[in-house]
Amino acid sequence: MKSWAKSLKRDVVALWIAARSPRTPVAAKIVAGAVAAYALSPIDLIPDFIPILGYLDDIVIVPLGIALAIRMIPAALMADFRAEAVSTDRPKNLYVAALMVGLWLVGLVFIAAWFWRKAR
């Protein structure tokens, strides 16, 4: 289990590298970029403190996205990206973190507006 988690972390960095590489096919680049951006974001779409759903993205959605992106990238290219990922520090994606905070704020505004209309 520990080695699987370690390889998952390496693959996220490899996908981040793949998304920025001109050698990656366009469709794979989009999927790899989206998966890496979400996985590297310090803020989840569904916060971990929400029972069951909070860990659903970490346990199911992220690994499935990684698997899909890896299947879309040619094996030889993915091997190169994995080798490069071993020597690269894990980046953080603050843009996606800001997007997640923005989505939560918009959601809270809609909920507050709904309660405001019901209270009147």
Side-chain angles (χ1 to χ4, degrees):
M1 192 71 149
K2 206 174 200 180
S3 66
W4 177 73
K6 195 173 183 177
S7 69
L8 209 58
K9 288 180 181 182
R10 182 207 58 216
D11 284 348
V12 168
V13 176
L15 291 177
W16 176 72
I17 294 166
R20 298 173 55 189
S21 173
R23 300 181 297 162
T24 306
V26 176
K29 189 180 283 204
I30 292 168
V31 172
V35 170
Y38 184 74
L40 294 170
S41 171
I43 299 175
D44 290 342
L45 181 61
I46 305 169
D48 291 343
F49 63 81
I50 296 175
I52 300 171
L53 292 177
Y55 290 106
L56 184 65
D57 64 337
D58 296 330
I59 296 171
V60 176
I61 297 170
V62 172
L64 287 177
I66 290 170
L68 174 65
I70 288 172
R71 286 181 189 260
M72 295 177 76
I73 298 170
L77 266 177
M78 195 61 201
D80 290 346
F81 298 143
R82 283 180 174 141
E84 188 178 339
V86 171
S87 63
T88 303
D89 289 335
R90 187 170 190 240
K92 288 190 175 146
N93 194 327
L94 298 179
Y95 296 116
V96 175
L99 175 68
M100 296 302 161
V101 169
L103 287 173
W104 275 101
L105 290 175
V106 168
L108 289 174
V109 166
F110 278 115
I111 291 170
W114 182 78
F115 276 119
W116 179 263
R117 279 190 238 130
K118 291 289 184 184
R120 291 165 104 217

